[in-house]
Amino acid sequence: MPQDCIFCKIVAGDIKATKLYQDESVTVFKDINPQAPTHILVIPNQHIEAISEASPEDQVILGKLMLTAAHIAREESVADNGYRLVVNNGRDGGQTVFHLHVHLLAGRPMRWPPG
Ligand code: 5GP
Ligand code: ZN
């Protein structure tokens, strides 16, 4: 794992986070700076820098991230009202942490177009 990756350290338990779920391939935790009443991050345990860096071998883990996000949304009781899944990529996409993550945002109406 890259030495300086915050999210790899959260996966390993070296940095504290409010973890909601973890298994052999994914980790789910609360965002430290929530942008909605529910703001949860779903990440692969393996370090993938960004969706633009994912390869065909990552197909299974990419599917798992989406299915896990939907599962967590049900568990957190936000599925009925609706929610938004976001993957920021690169500079103009607003990505600030270069370990792939899916944002699960819910608990308020989301605007469109996004900022
Ligand atoms: P990005 O801007 O890369 O799409 O999203 C990165 C997200 O990670 C941001 O929403 C930010 O608040 C969150 N974040 C950054 N550092 C930490 C941390 O140390 N712990 C947690 N729980 N979230 C973090
Ligand atoms: Zn990482």
Side-chain angles (χ1 to χ4, degrees):
M1 89 184 188
Q3 291 289 309
D4 54 349
C5 177
I6 299 170
F7 286 1
C8 280
K9 288 179 181 166
I10 286 175
V11 169
D14 295 339
I15 288 182
K16 279 198 197 312
T18 306
K19 286 184 187 172
L20 303 176
Y21 178 76
Q22 185 165 39
D23 66 17
E24 70 287 346
S25 59
V26 300
T27 298
V28 181
F29 54 96
K30 291 191 177 177
D31 196 290
I32 205 169
N33 182 24
Q35 302 300 313
T38 297
H39 189 172
I40 291 166
L41 301 174
V42 182
I43 74 170
N45 292 346
Q46 69 186 96
H47 184 85
I48 300 171
E49 278 212 3
I51 190 64
S52 57
E53 302 303 313
S55 63
E57 300 89 79
D58 298 322
Q59 187 166 327
V60 170
I61 186 63
L62 296 180
K64 175 125 183 219
L65 293 177
M66 301 301 276
L67 290 170
T68 301
H71 178 74
I72 295 291
R74 283 194 296 277
E75 293 247 301
E76 295 291 309
S77 303
V78 297
D80 287 348
N81 281 355
Y83 53 86
R84 182 170 291 173
L85 303 182
V86 173
V87 177
N88 295 326
N89 190 87
R91 187 195 62 190
D92 281 1
Q95 185 175 8
T96 60
V97 175
F98 288 84
H99 179 132
L100 178 62
H101 47 283
V102 176
H103 295 260
L104 166 58
L105 295 151
R108 64 168 172 81
M110 298 295 149
R111 291 176 292 276
W112 196 264

